[in-house]
Amino acid sequence: MKKTYFKLQCKRNFHSFPGFFLGILLLSLFGVILFLGFQESNLSKIKPQSVGIVIDESDNYAKLLLPLLSGTESINKQYTFVALTPDKLEKKFSSGKISMAFIIPKNYVKDMINGNVKPITVQYGTGDTGLASLLLKELCSAAATIILDTEKGIYALDEYYFYHNLPNQPESERKLNIDYIKRILMRNTLFEEKEATDTKQIQYTEYYFAVIMVLLFCFIGILAPGMFKSDAVSLEEKLHVEGFSYTKQSILKHLSIWLFAVASFGVLFFVASVILGNLEQLPNDFEDYTFSSWIGIFIPMLLALPMVCTLIRMVYEWISDASVSMLFLFLGILLFGYFSGFFYPYQLLPKIIQKTAVILPTKVSLDYVSQCVTGDFRSVTVVSLLCYTLFLLFFSIAGTNFRHKNIIRK
Amino acid sequence: MKQDFTLEIQHLSKSYHRGKKEILKDINVSIKNGACVGILGANGSGKSTLLSILAGITTPTLGSFQVAHSTNATHATTNIGYIPQENPLMEELSALDNLRLWYSLSETSLEDELANGTLHELGIHDFLKTKVKYMSGGMKKRLSIGCSLAKSPNILLLDEPGAALDLPCKETILHCLQSYKAKGNLAIIATHEEAEIEICDQLFLLQDGTLLPFSYDGNLDTIVNAIPKGVSQ
């Protein structure tokens, strides 16, 4: 009987496939349209990039550079300049508040006057590159010109000749100008480039891709309610009397749901891998991905499904009314999703929310799916995922038994 | 004809809310096979509780019941069929799938039963491929009875089988019950329906938790007067 029951549960679940498939298709289309729209609006309206200028607080000359940059019309529409102290630099990079920074060496102008020019370090963030990065590189060139113009001004000052006791003014000026021309020709030496060392910076494309995947997993509870809702109480009771306990019924029901979810998403992932593997216009983070790369991302994600499905089944078990369960699930996804960083990056949420979210199953799923996307699996997350699955399964089974224990007949 | 047996209920009591509400009080009754027994009573009087105890679903607070065969006595939950008010069916599946679940326990061939057995008598072959969720109340009830008969039970417990059904469907069910009884089985029906009461060989009235023998003279007023109004719901 158990074998027949399991087969029938699977059959019942597969009746949900058309609705589920259509729902996922519509949600995916909606997601793609939103994403393309977002990209389009980003291209047409480039937001000003924040650029950090790291200056030693005691360097009054260098401080003049900031208003000079901000006041330059050709660049101030595309960039916002922020003065920073060296200790705040890494924090600004990790929070994504600046995209790049110019680190001006201590006593830069003073040393320049003394003929000892140290390179300015240009530090890039590890975030998304592309158009913004290109523009930032142009900014380097612009900044170089400004600095060289500043140098030119400095060299032209009479006081400079007087201060350095230069006897032959025209000859010295000629030499300086030659030196200046040489420096223009090799102005790259004015800068030293480096990338931010903080690897914790959010990779937004990958992050939100993982969020979308977890949301799709969660929405299975709303798209296929017939699969998750409990059987008729009288049917469960009759099976129980036949020696097929509520616990065994619940376990087999979960197994059939897991099987359906893994099989359905398996099919969808295969189709998606074929499509994505052949698409040419993909975000930078995914542009080199082939069919096998996508399969390599998607297949491990399937391991998150049993936990998500068990969570949904638990909701349907404890709230016997299917419509109320769906509503609860929808609101729950929104609330838990917010705390887990679905709608706003988790790293940027207040610390108290971050600490609370660690225990949420949605956060565990997001962590695991994110690791599937980056390929950086952590055993702690995998173990947490499995533990949560068992924990939720226990509560779901407890729900079934509790429901039957509290039936009052007339 | 099946072997003779007697259903013996001894000192059966059931209370809810930790003994605060006693719904069945010291019920003692002995019913022989080959009969159709009707249990009457107001809504909330404990008819469904009594049937669910006999079906093995609810545990009694006190007392027990057993099926005493003419040669030896055994505890007989395994050969009791039960049709509750709510149909015990998988809504998303067809009649055939539901039957398959219950016939997987049975030694009886489902195909034979559909061709010329009780299932054919119930007319289930007409809607075999229909999903339960698209069935009428009568179809569902007939299918529930069909599923309950899979294990060829000696005792069939029916909780208001004719409620909200049309006349032809009631007729089919009554015909099936009479045929079941004629095979030497015992049918116990909790009912309010006149037609069902009429086919009963023995009637009991469940009142204030006790089961009292009741005689029906064909006049419905007797029943109406016997059942007190305003029994707790």
Side-chain angles (χ1 to χ4, degrees):
Chain A
M1 184 183 211
K2 285 165 197 152
K3 208 173 157 186
T4 316
Y5 176 82
F6 180 69
K7 275 186 198 166
L8 291 174
Q9 284 291 351
C10 290
K11 190 173 179 181
R12 191 181 96 142
N13 295 344
F14 276 91
H15 283 309
S16 305
F17 188 76
F20 161 77
F21 184 75
L22 200 67
I24 291 285
L25 204 68
L26 287 173
L27 280 176
S28 305
L29 272 175
F30 182 66
V32 168
I33 291 167
L34 266 185
F35 181 75
L36 291 176
F38 178 71
Q39 235 183 7
E40 186 72 23
S41 76
N42 265 3
L43 286 171
S44 59
K45 285 194 288 186
I46 297 158
K47 283 190 283 183
Q49 298 289 319
S50 286
V51 179
I53 307 286
V54 182
I55 315 170
D56 187 71
E57 280 178 350
S58 61
D59 194 342
N60 291 323
Y61 291 113
K63 277 184 187 174
L64 292 171
L65 191 65
L66 196 65
L68 183 72
L69 283 167
S70 302
T72 309
E73 267 192 39
S74 59
I75 52 175
N76 66 6
K77 282 178 187 161
Q78 288 168 339
Y79 307 101
T80 310
F81 298 95
V82 187
L84 295 172
T85 52
D87 55 313
K88 286 182 183 167
L89 181 68
E90 291 306 319
K91 204 177 169 187
K92 291 278 179 188
F93 267 124
S94 61
S95 66
K97 287 184 179 164
I98 55 168
S99 312
M100 70 178 292
F102 289 99
I103 305 164
I104 297 170
K106 204 172 176 183
N107 300 322
Y108 179 71
V109 175
K110 207 171 177 181
D111 286 343
M112 190 192 281
I113 291 168
N114 291 328
N116 179 23
V117 181
K118 293 176 202 162
I120 290 174
T121 307
V122 183
Q123 189 166 347
Y124 296 99
T126 54
D128 286 348
T129 51
L131 187 65
S133 171
L134 186 74
L135 292 171
L136 289 170
K137 284 188 177 169
E138 281 177 16
L139 177 67
C140 284
S141 300
T145 311
I146 291 169
I147 292 163
L148 289 167
D149 284 348
T150 311
E151 269 193 79
K152 190 181 169 185
I154 290 165
Y155 291 135
L157 290 173
D158 286 344
E159 286 88 338
Y160 181 84
Y161 299 103
F162 177 75
Y163 183 79
H164 288 280
N165 296 316
L166 298 169
N168 190 351
Q169 197 168 314
E171 180 59 22
S172 300
E173 196 171 340
R174 193 182 67 82
K175 276 173 73 184
L176 282 170
N177 283 339
I178 290 168
D179 189 32
Y180 167 68
I181 291 162
K182 279 183 190 168
R183 297 269 297 278
I184 285 178
L185 292 172
M186 41 195 288
R187 65 185 177 186
N188 285 342
T189 55
L190 284 171
F191 294 101
E192 193 178 79
E193 288 185 28
K194 86 175 192 189
E195 198 171 83
T197 49
D198 188 4
T199 51
K200 284 179 189 167
Q201 195 175 357
I202 306 158
Q203 308 288 315
Y204 284 98
T205 314
E206 289 180 347
Y207 183 84
Y208 281 108
F209 178 70
V211 167
I212 289 167
M213 293 319 297
V214 179
L215 277 174
L216 281 182
F217 289 171
C218 291
F219 271 99
I220 192 176
I222 295 167
L223 297 172
M227 183 170 81
F228 290 97
K229 69 178 185 186
S230 303
D231 287 320
V233 174
S234 54
L235 175 68
E236 290 178 343
E237 285 176 341
K238 284 193 74 173
L239 291 168
H240 182 74
V241 170
E242 293 298 339
F244 187 17
S245 68
Y246 298 128
T247 305
K248 284 177 190 164
Q249 288 178 48
S250 187
I251 290 172
L252 284 184
K253 196 169 170 65
H254 275 98
L255 281 175
S256 71
I257 292 171
W258 295 351
L259 184 72
F260 168 80
V262 169
S264 305
F265 272 105
V267 171
L268 289 174
F269 284 166
F270 181 81
V271 175
S273 299
V274 172
I275 297 169
L276 291 170
N278 289 297
L279 270 186
E280 285 180 4
Q281 284 185 323
L282 278 174
N284 291 338
D285 293 5
F286 300 121
E287 64 186 354
D288 298 329
Y289 280 41
T290 58
F291 169 77
S292 53
S293 320
W294 284 108
I295 284 285
I297 289 175
F298 284 138
I299 296 296
M301 274 186 201
L302 296 174
L303 191 63
L305 277 166
M307 193 197 79
V308 176
C309 290
T310 311
L311 175 69
I312 298 166
R313 170 77 193 111
M314 193 189 77
V315 171
Y316 276 86
E317 184 55 61
W318 283 92
I319 305 170
S320 48
D321 188 304
S323 311
V324 180
S325 296
M326 280 169 79
L327 185 67
F328 183 85
L329 205 61
F330 182 72
L331 297 175
I333 292 169
L334 291 184
L335 187 69
F336 279 25
Y338 172 74
F339 283 119
S340 307
F342 284 16
F343 312 112
Y344 193 69
Y346 173 79
Q347 290 89 331
L348 306 183
L349 288 170
K351 289 279 176 221
I352 182 112
I353 293 182
Q354 288 189 23
K355 281 179 186 167
T356 317
V358 173
I359 58 161
L360 296 177
T362 40
K363 176 74 180 93
V364 177
S365 332
L366 180 61
D367 284 348
Y368 177 73
V369 172
S370 298
Q371 287 167 21
C372 292
V373 176
T374 56
D376 174 29
F377 290 101
R378 284 177 213 153
S379 54
V380 181
T381 316
V382 179
V383 171
S384 302
L385 190 79
L386 297 173
C387 289
Y388 262 89
T389 310
L390 293 175
F391 181 71
L392 294 168
L393 181 65
F394 169 77
F395 268 92
S396 182
I397 293 169
T400 315
N401 284 284
F402 180 80
R403 184 160 48 85
H404 284 282
K405 206 174 176 182
N406 287 280
I407 290 172
I408 294 176
R409 280 167 237 277
K410 300 287 181 182
Chain B
M1 200 66 148
K2 290 193 178 177
Q3 191 184 34
D4 286 344
F5 64 87
T6 311
L7 173 67
E8 289 171 357
I9 303 172
Q10 293 153 348
H11 307 292
L12 199 77
S13 299
K14 177 69 186 175
S15 51
Y16 290 116
H17 306 303
R18 294 181 185 175
K20 285 177 190 164
K21 190 178 178 184
E22 198 170 19
I23 198 146
L24 298 176
K25 295 174 192 167
D26 194 31
I27 290 175
N28 291 283
V29 74
S30 182
I31 308 164
K32 287 196 171 170
N33 68 316
C36 188
V37 176
I39 297 173
L40 310 175
N43 293 329
S45 59
K47 299 188 296 295
S48 297
T49 303
L50 178 61
L51 292 191
S52 74
I53 289 172
L54 296 177
I57 289 166
T58 306
T59 316
T61 313
L62 279 173
S64 64
F65 68 93
Q66 63 180 29
V67 178
H69 288 265
S70 52
T71 47
N72 60 337
T74 52
H75 211 269
T77 49
T78 48
N79 59 1
I80 292 180
Y82 175 49
I83 300 126
Q85 282 179 43
E86 183 202 15
N87 295 302
L89 303 168
M90 285 186 171
E91 289 278 321
E92 293 80 7
L93 297 180
S94 67
L96 185 62
D97 287 330
N98 277 278
L99 288 167
R100 271 185 191 140
L101 176 66
W102 296 103
Y103 274 80
S104 66
L105 285 171
S106 167
E107 287 170 9
T108 321
S109 158
L110 174 60
E111 285 71 27
D112 291 349
E113 281 294 305
L114 283 167
N116 48 23
T118 322
L119 298 180
H120 187 82
E121 209 176 300
L122 285 164
I124 293 173
H125 56 281
D126 290 337
F127 53 89
L128 215 49
K129 297 275 170 73
T130 312
K131 279 186 188 172
V132 174
K133 62 181 174 187
Y134 301 126
M135 287 181 189
S136 67
M139 288 157 118
K140 283 181 188 175
K141 191 56 78 182
R142 281 187 281 159
L143 180 60
S144 298
I145 295 172
C147 290
S148 297
L149 292 172
K151 279 179 77 183
S152 307
N154 295 332
I155 302 170
L156 193 62
L157 309 167
L158 299 102
D159 198 350
E160 301 187 24
L165 301 184
D166 59 22
L167 287 173
C169 186
K170 281 180 186 172
E171 196 59 41
T172 312
I173 292 171
L174 289 177
H175 186 260
C176 175
L177 281 177
Q178 278 169 328
S179 148
Y180 179 75
K181 185 179 75 173
K183 286 175 190 163
N185 297 308
L186 172 63
I188 302 176
I189 319 170
T191 184
H192 300 290
E193 299 282 329
E194 191 183 355
E196 286 165 5
I197 292 168
E198 278 171 359
I199 65 154
C200 288
D201 306 297
Q202 207 176 346
L203 286 170
F204 288 96
L205 178 67
L206 192 57
Q207 196 176 338
D208 297 328
T210 51
L211 199 63
L212 309 165
F214 185 80
S215 58
Y216 176 58
D217 53 6
N219 182 3
L220 266 181
D221 288 343
T222 326
I223 300 171
V224 175
N225 294 331
I227 297 172
K229 286 174 189 169
V231 170
S232 58
Q233 297 298 299

